[in-house]
Amino acid sequence: MTTALALLSGGLDSTLAIHVIKKQGIDVIALTFTTVFCLCTSKGNCKLEAVKVSEKLGIPVKVINTTKSFLEIVKKPKHGYGKNMNPCIDCRINIFRAAGEYMKEIGADFIITGEVLGQRPMSQRKEAMKTIDREAGLTGLVLRPLCAKHLEPTIPEKEGLVNRDELLEIKGRSRKDQIQLADIFEVTDYPCASGGCLLTDPEFANRMKDSVNHGDPGVNEVNLLKVGRHFRIDDKTKVIVSRREEENSVVEKLATVHDFLLEMKDITGPLAIIRGEISEEKLKIAAQLTARSSKAKSEPSAEVIISKAQTGSMQRVLSVPQIDPDLVKELMIKK
């Protein structure tokens, strides 16, 4: 029995690609990837969406977290970035390599994806697709059912495992053809788009770029980039101030034993973290930034509690004057 390994995001295109292949009587096993940069997993949805789709289709699914390998790629991608900090070609190569290994492990015959030629400017060009397949060691083994007739026949097509006549020729960024196809296959619920990557968001991308330019960020720091307002005091020191009450617990959870936490004395307000090479002067600036984001910002001075993260030791109160608004703008990491 012919078996295809499907790269399933939970979005419409990858779902339709599976329908097209299953229609030919081919068995399909799904594979989905998550990373710390997945926009959907920040709310716990993306992985579940892929699993939900696989259950509707009656196919098994495996989830692989590629954060470790992908984070290193983000820092120095061979093929460069897209509009922001998104290394789309290197990302595809990374997951295709992992898919190739899993394909061999389960004895699948080829891989299918929901890619559409011309839909994404960086990774879904004909030459880019060839590069991705070649560098992943999968030349001829990646079938793209939705746009296959715009591409050269793959090995499964040449060997008669797949009927090329039943494949499609969708092209470009319009979603009209996919929506019509969804009606045919009765696909009605597809909330998670396949492009949900934080690295395409200008604000997050700028924070990530700043982190890469000033060090070697790990998963903890990347997760911290997702919350609060970020300030760069100098090359070695950052301050992050929560914007909402629900972010306080995230900041506290991500603080390490090397960090200091700051919060307002006797006033409900933000929780801030200072990380890096910390001095008394930098603690003062961090306290001022904390006060600036609280109800005390209209007062001439404010009292801020400073404590060692995780241990809660070395707790003391620092009274600081309000910070110059121009300095706040200068320090803020923004797009």
Side-chain angles (χ1 to χ4, degrees), residues 2-4 17 20-27 109-112 140-145 148 153-168:
T2 301
T3 302
V20 171
I21 292 302
K22 280 177 62 70
K23 188 180 177 183
Q24 295 197 29
I26 297 170
D27 277 351
D109 297 286
F110 58 95
I111 292 169
I112 65 170
L141 289 172
V142 180
L143 174 63
R144 298 166 171 92
T154 57
I155 291 173
E157 293 169 79
K158 292 176 181 178
E159 294 182 349
L161 299 178
V162 176
N163 184 350
R164 184 175 174 84
D165 291 338
E166 295 183 20
L167 302 178
L168 306 174

Side-chain angles (χ1 to χ4, degrees), residues 295-306:
K295 294 179 181 179
K297 65 181 179 180
S298 59
E299 301 295 327
S301 64
E303 292 188 320
V304 180
I305 300 172
I306 301 175

Side-chain angles (χ1 to χ4, degrees), residues 92-109:
R92 299 300 287 177
I93 293 169
N94 189 49
I95 65 175
F96 276 35
R97 281 177 180 156
E101 293 174 3
Y102 188 59
M103 178 186 71
K104 294 175 183 177
E105 180 184 327
I106 64 174
D109 297 286

